[in-house]
């Protein structure tokens, strides 16, 4: 991990650390993935996220290196929450900062694509009783 990357996977609530952007960048984009109130048109109380601990954080670091290699240097904070996340609360934070605004849109989009396709985290909706 570089000083420009803060990558974490834990049961802690999603939040952006104070001072994450040091002022050297001109654009930042913050993405929050929130748990919806329903899954497949059925009400849920939340989602239980599990992960393969031995592989998840190393894979997140690999994703960061791949994005940096393809899209250039940037600042990033990624936090994926595990355990039970109630509906309405965020389970994923991706915050990117770069010199120019077009870059941050590409960065967040690429991080989200790679996280969804290769990070070993699985979700299981917790349905409410009708």
């Amino acid at each position: 991990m570089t000083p420009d990357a803060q990558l974490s996977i834990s049961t802690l609530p999603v939040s952006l650390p104070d001072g994450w952007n040091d002022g050297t960048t001109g654009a930042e984009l913050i993405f929050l993935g929130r748990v919806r109130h329903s899954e497949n048109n059925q009400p849920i109380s939340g989602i239980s996220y599990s992960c393969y601990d031995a592989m998840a954080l190393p894979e997140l670091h690999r994703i960061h290196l791949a994005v940096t290699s393809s899209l250039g240097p940037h600042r990033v904070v990624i936090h994926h929450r595990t355990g039970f996340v109630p509906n309405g609360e965020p389970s994923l934070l991706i915050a990117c900062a770069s010199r120019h605004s077009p870059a941050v849109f590409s960065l967040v989009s690429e991080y989200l694509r790679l996280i969804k396709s290769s990070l070993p985290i699985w979700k299981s909706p917790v349905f409410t009783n009708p």
Side-chain angles (χ1 to χ4, degrees), residues 31-127:
F31 170 84
L32 290 174
R34 291 190 184 274
V35 175
R36 294 181 299 265
H37 293 283
S38 66
E39 186 79 15
N40 299 322
N41 296 319
Q42 294 183 1
I44 62 171
S45 59
I47 292 179
S48 182
Y49 291 91
S50 60
C51 74
Y52 179 36
D53 290 325
M55 187 180 166
L57 194 55
E59 179 63 13
L60 191 54
H61 286 276
R62 188 200 65 74
I63 289 169
H64 171 252
L65 290 174
V67 172
T68 300
S69 293
S70 66
L71 297 176
H74 58 279
R75 295 184 66 82
V76 63
V77 174
I78 298 174
H79 177 81
H80 202 303
R81 191 168 169 187
T82 56
F84 179 75
V85 181
N87 61 30
E89 289 190 19
S91 58
L92 176 62
L93 163 72
I94 304 171
C96 291
S98 188
R99 294 188 57 79
H100 304 287
S101 54
V104 295
F105 286 97
S106 296
L107 288 163
V108 169
S109 179
E110 185 64 0
Y111 275 116
L112 186 58
R113 184 184 75 77
L114 292 171
I115 286 168
K116 294 274 188 181
S117 67
S118 69
L119 196 63
I121 293 180
W122 304 276
K123 68 179 193 172
S124 178
V126 178
F127 294 96

